[in-house]
Amino acid sequence: MPCAIGPYVPHEAGMCLLDEVLACDEHSLSASVRPSPEDLFAELDGAGQAVIPAWVGLEWMAQAIAAWSGLQAARAGQSPRVGFLLGSRRYESELHAFACGQRWQIDVQLDYRADNGLGAFKATLSDEHGTQVARAGVNVFEPPAQAVASAVSETQDHGQQDAAGAAPQGNV
């Protein structure tokens, strides 16, 4: 450590937003990101400076959790698995946006991880001086590997159902 985060977060096409894992153990992970004006979610603020909207901080937290899970899988000789952000409890940010070019640190701490794949984490986001600027409780779900394989197989076999087995209902 530190190491690149990409191998542990199963995202494609530029959707892995974090840069590196700083530290990881069986209950927590620290990661960092230094966003640039070319980043997917960058926008100009009122002064014409590139920033990342504060709501993206929740995605940074979720990706840090995905990296934690991916590292746990790698330590067990497995590949990262699909996971889902179910929601958050009280995402609060002191800032309206995160400055591009500045390093931000994301820390996640496992609250619990149930056998059925449900998990909860405490997450914080700090600036390059160590000042905490955002926090949340984050709820996640990582289905068992055999459930994902079965859902993918069913979708491929039936073509007209989604991974949950529901038939398309048209535009809503």
Side-chain angles (χ1 to χ4, degrees):
M1 303 277 155
C3 66
I5 204 164
Y8 307 107
V9 180
H11 285 2
E12 296 180 9
M15 282 304 298
C16 183
L17 304 178
L18 304 180
D19 297 328
E20 64 182 352
V21 176
L22 303 173
C24 183
D25 63 30
E26 65 183 49
H27 300 289
S28 63
L29 178 133
S30 294
S32 69
V33 61
R34 185 180 301 270
S36 75
E38 293 78 34
D39 280 7
L40 181 62
F41 295 105
E43 60 186 33
L44 297 179
D45 66 7
Q49 298 295 312
V51 296
I52 305 295
W55 59 266
V56 175
L58 183 57
E59 178 63 19
W60 289 349
M61 292 172 177
Q63 288 193 16
I65 294 167
W68 175 86
S69 179
L71 274 158
Q72 302 311 309
R75 290 176 178 161
Q78 303 169 355
S79 297
R81 295 198 345 233
V82 172
F84 301 95
L85 169 63
L86 295 181
S88 67
R89 295 179 312 278
R90 298 184 55 135
Y91 176 71
E92 298 174 345
S93 177
E94 310 285 327
L95 306 173
H96 295 291
F98 304 113
C100 289
Q102 180 174 326
R103 184 177 165 274
W104 301 94
Q105 181 169 319
I106 303 91
D107 296 293
V108 295
Q109 174 74 38
L110 178 66
D111 273 342
Y112 72 86
R113 187 178 195 189
D115 290 340
N116 65 1
L118 291 175
F121 289 78
K122 292 178 186 159
T124 60
L125 204 154
S126 302
D127 67 15
E128 56 193 14
H129 306 291
T131 303
Q132 189 180 102
V133 297
R135 69 210 55 75
V138 182
N139 300 320
V140 296
F141 177 63
E142 184 179 73
Q146 65 272 22
V148 173
S150 175
V152 168
S153 176
E154 278 187 35
T155 301
Q156 290 171 346
D157 291 344
H158 299 295
Q160 292 298 312
Q161 295 180 335
D162 66 14
Q169 300 296 314
N171 295 333
V172 178

